[in-house]
Amino acid sequence: MLHREKMSPVDTAWLRMDRATNLMMIVGVIVFDRRTDFKRLRNTIESRLVARYRRFRQCAVAEVAGAWWQDDPAFDLDAHLRRRSLPARAGKQELQALASELAVQPLDPGKPLWCFDLIEEYGGGSAMVVRIHHCIADGIALVGVILSLTDASPQAAPQKRSAAKIHAAETEEPAGGMLEFLADALGSAVSMGTDLGSKALQLASNPDRLSTYGRHGIGLLTELAKLLAMPADSPTSLKGKTGMAKRVAWSELIPLAEVKALGKALGCSVNDILLSAVAGALRAYFMQKGESVRDVEVRAMIPVNLRSARHEGTLGNRFGLGTLSLPVHEANPFARLFLVRQRMNELKGSYQPPLTMALLGAVGIAPRVLQQQFLDILAAKASTVMTNVPGPRQPLYLAGSRLDELMFWVPQSGDIGIGVSILSYNENVQFGLITDRNFVPDPETIAPLFAAEFEKMLLALLMLDWEQPFDPARVEQMLFGKQLPPPLSGAAPKPRARKSRTTAGAKPVARKTPPVSPPPAETPQRVPKRFRNLA
């Protein structure tokens, strides 16, 4: 008899979320430095993926009473690992086009929901497009799965065909209603190191959860009310009805050390810097298209990892969603950065991520029509989904070939048509985009703008006189020759105008303030001591 197990409510919600215009697949692109040995790659995937994780041999079976994981009796690895080819001397543009094409091809519902497409000849090496349905696991877990296929050295012994023991169920979700999901999600938040985590520990550990639920009830209900009452973000070209054509693009590599140095100098996290670069890139794109950026805020849904220590290494979906409004209207790059930092700090102490995880679990056991209505309400409040995944700092090898580039995009629900991916790997950062053609037909024009926004902040910082207190408005005046109003409440107040003494009947003489100009080009800038040893 076939092995069969109940699918968790959260995973069920993702299974039922598929739409023809937004498939719930996590899509990845891997670029290798050399031609990949197909036989060796196949043996590696068979031994380290199929034999290790039972989920990759199981079909998702939806029934009236719920969804189940069921072993596929006719499982064939060759149906999931396929060879493809690109035209001779194909480059990045052709690979992006192929990834765009595959991103809208549904996975076969009668087979396990994943597929790897290997392009054996690409740019002197190989490339692979990875597609895995979101119901199997979230992005954090799946990146870990892919990395588990790799080695730290190209000299690692080739993987032999193996009949290793298949793992049992990789994840267990609490049974019950919204309260149980909420308690478990709040308990998982402890591992995030947020303000919420310390408050939630008692809720997750107390057997009488109802007694402690009331202590968090006001905050949770307030967060739920705010979430439901939240208006849609600015009506930009990123909004509308999604279609069935997608476009994929990615940026060049950015050295991670430079991002860390900039963040350390400004008192911001790497995440703050990268999200601010996204806001700046969207602003530049709107302006290139002649679209107004006045008062424009682009709201992003950001997955927040809620995987606790006991769930490390498991599959399934254990994350919540937080909303972040990107201040696209702000022209000053440093003021924009500090706004992003402030909003991210507010999100870290919010009940929003565990609340949304609990809601997903609740609607996963509710009628499908109710789930769709809830997700449509949630999706209408944002224009993009953004992920930031920190990957390994050292180069990795798959079947003897080095991974040169590694990119993944999570799906967008409802009518959200833009996905932004930020992934660090091997001391570099790379931005990726997946867009609906109805909204952004040319994501390759946005991809270079991420690096351009980062470089703008980095160069501006190096040009400053660090003996003065850092003030975004003063920096804007010095570098760009214009004065903006202080963007933050903590900015230094403007000095009071001095009254000039006048004789009786005489008109006061207005004093002209000489414009502040940058130092002469021939004068070398001294590198401040605090910046010299930044890592």
Side-chain angles (χ1 to χ4, degrees):
M1 187 171 177
L2 295 176
H3 177 82
R4 177 179 165 101
E5 58 192 273
K6 187 77 172 177
M7 186 180 294
S8 77
V10 177
D11 296 344
T12 301
W14 285 104
L15 176 65
R16 301 192 309 189
M17 217 180 292
D18 262 321
R19 286 185 178 182
T21 57
N22 260 335
L23 300 175
M24 293 298 106
M25 295 188 302
I26 294 175
V27 179
V29 173
I30 303 173
V31 177
F32 301 100
D33 71 324
R34 66 183 68 177
R35 183 186 171 100
T36 300
D37 183 329
F38 181 79
K39 182 179 178 181
R40 182 174 178 182
L41 175 66
R42 189 186 188 282
N43 290 342
T44 299
I45 292 174
E46 185 177 35
S47 299
R48 298 186 184 180
L49 182 72
V50 173
R52 181 179 295 175
Y53 298 101
R54 190 167 206 154
R55 285 286 180 269
F56 288 87
R57 296 180 62 96
Q58 293 179 314
C59 300
V61 180
E63 298 177 351
V64 175
W68 299 80
W69 293 112
Q70 181 172 294
D71 287 350
D72 179 7
F75 177 80
D76 180 8
L77 177 57
D78 292 326
H80 300 270
L81 176 61
R82 304 184 300 193
R83 298 161 117 163
R84 286 185 177 268
S85 61
L86 289 174
R89 293 188 295 276
K92 181 177 179 180
Q93 184 176 352
E94 288 77 16
L95 180 58
Q96 290 176 342
L98 176 60
S100 303
E101 177 186 333
L102 294 174
V104 296
Q105 290 186 9
L107 297 165
D108 187 342
K111 294 183 171 63
L113 298 175
W114 63 278
C115 191
F116 293 176
D117 289 88
L118 177 67
I119 301 96
E120 293 180 282
E121 296 280 354
Y122 172 74
S126 297
M128 187 162 67
V129 179
V130 175
R131 290 177 293 155
I132 304 175
H133 200 284
H134 212 309
C135 68
I136 293 179
D138 55 44
I140 289 288
L142 289 179
V143 169
V145 167
I146 298 301
L147 295 180
S148 71
L149 305 178
T150 64
D151 299 297
S153 167
Q155 281 77 40
Q159 193 73 37
K160 298 181 180 180
R161 297 191 62 177
S162 170
K165 184 178 179 181
I166 298 174
H167 284 197
E170 274 80 22
T171 181
E172 294 181 3
E173 295 286 351
M178 178 177 170
L179 178 59
E180 286 76 12
F181 288 116
L182 184 59
D184 196 67
L186 282 169
S188 298
V190 174
S191 65
M192 296 166 57
T194 64
D195 296 335
L196 175 62
S198 59
K199 294 187 294 184
L201 179 59
Q202 54 184 317
L203 179 59
S205 59
N206 194 326
D208 184 11
R209 288 176 171 176
L210 283 174
S211 65
T212 53
Y213 178 74
R215 304 178 192 177
H216 301 273
I218 295 178
L220 289 165
L221 290 175
T222 300
E223 198 67 62
L224 179 60
K226 284 168 56 180
L227 187 64
L228 295 177
M230 183 184 295
D233 54 350
S234 303
T236 67
S237 57
L238 304 186
K239 284 191 167 294
K241 286 292 181 182
T242 51
M244 297 182 66
K246 306 296 179 184
R247 295 289 181 266
V248 169
W250 52 86
S251 72
E252 298 301 321
L253 300 175
I254 301 173
L256 181 58
E258 294 182 3
V259 181
K260 290 181 177 180
L262 183 61
K264 187 173 181 180
L266 296 175
C268 298
S269 69
V270 168
N271 193 45
D272 296 335
I273 298 288
L274 298 175
L275 293 179
S276 181
V278 172
L282 292 177
R283 174 186 172 85
Y285 177 73
F286 288 152
M287 295 180 70
Q288 285 182 7
K289 295 293 183 180
E291 188 171 343
S292 173
V293 293
R294 181 183 177 89
D295 300 324
V296 169
E297 298 258 345
V298 172
R299 187 176 295 123
M301 290 287 183
I302 299 182
V304 178
N305 183 27
L306 295 177
R307 197 171 295 271
S308 61
R310 68 189 179 96
H311 292 107
E312 288 295 332
T314 65
L315 299 182
N317 288 273
R318 303 200 61 83
F319 71 96
L321 294 169
T323 57
L324 174 70
S325 289
L326 299 173
V328 173
H329 60 85
E330 178 57 69
N332 186 318
F334 293 108
R336 187 167 59 239
L337 170 62
F338 294 154
L339 276 173
V340 169
R341 179 183 63 181
Q342 175 187 331
R343 293 173 182 180
M344 280 302 298
N345 287 339
E346 291 170 357
L347 179 59
K348 289 175 184 177
S350 168
Y351 284 93
Q352 205 173 86
L355 176 65
T356 53
M357 177 178 166
L359 289 171
L360 280 174
V363 298
I365 56 177
R368 186 166 188 164
V369 62
L370 180 61
Q371 172 183 324
Q372 199 60 59
Q373 290 174 351
F374 167 73
L375 293 173
D376 285 346
I377 292 173
L378 196 62
K381 301 178 186 301
S383 296
T384 180
V385 176
M386 293 199 319
T387 60
N388 183 4
V389 179
R393 300 181 63 178
Q394 71 280 355
L396 297 176
Y397 299 82
L398 175 54
S401 299
R402 188 182 68 223
L403 279 62
D404 276 354
E405 296 182 71
L406 183 64
M407 294 150 286
F408 286 92
W409 299 273
V410 298
Q412 300 82 55
S413 62
D415 278 321
I416 296 178
I418 310 295
V420 180
S421 165
I422 308 170
L423 194 141
S424 61
Y425 163 66
N426 192 22
E427 297 297 341
N428 289 297
V429 176
Q430 198 158 24
F431 290 87
L433 275 169
I434 184 168
T435 67
D436 191 284
R437 191 178 63 180
N438 290 350
F439 302 164
V440 179
D442 53 350
E444 65 278 0
T445 64
I446 301 180
L449 299 176
F450 295 122
E453 286 299 315
F454 167 73
E455 290 171 2
K456 182 191 300 182
M457 288 188 287
L458 184 63
L459 292 175
L461 189 67
L462 290 171
M463 292 173 64
L464 294 182
D465 177 7
W466 285 34
E467 301 301 326
Q468 299 292 329
F470 187 88
D471 172 39
R474 182 182 64 83
V475 174
E476 183 80 5
Q477 181 185 20
M478 188 188 80
L479 296 178
F480 307 110
K482 59 182 179 179
Q483 178 70 45
L484 298 180
L488 301 175
S489 58
K494 294 182 179 180
R496 294 182 178 179
R498 297 178 60 184
K499 296 182 179 179
S500 58
R501 297 181 180 178
T502 58
T503 57
K507 293 182 179 181
V509 178
R511 291 188 176 181
K512 293 185 178 180
T513 304
V516 180
S517 58
E522 62 272 11
T523 303
Q525 291 287 320
R526 181 179 65 85
V527 178
K529 182 181 296 185
R530 58 185 287 199
F531 195 75
R532 293 175 190 167
N533 298 320
L534 293 182

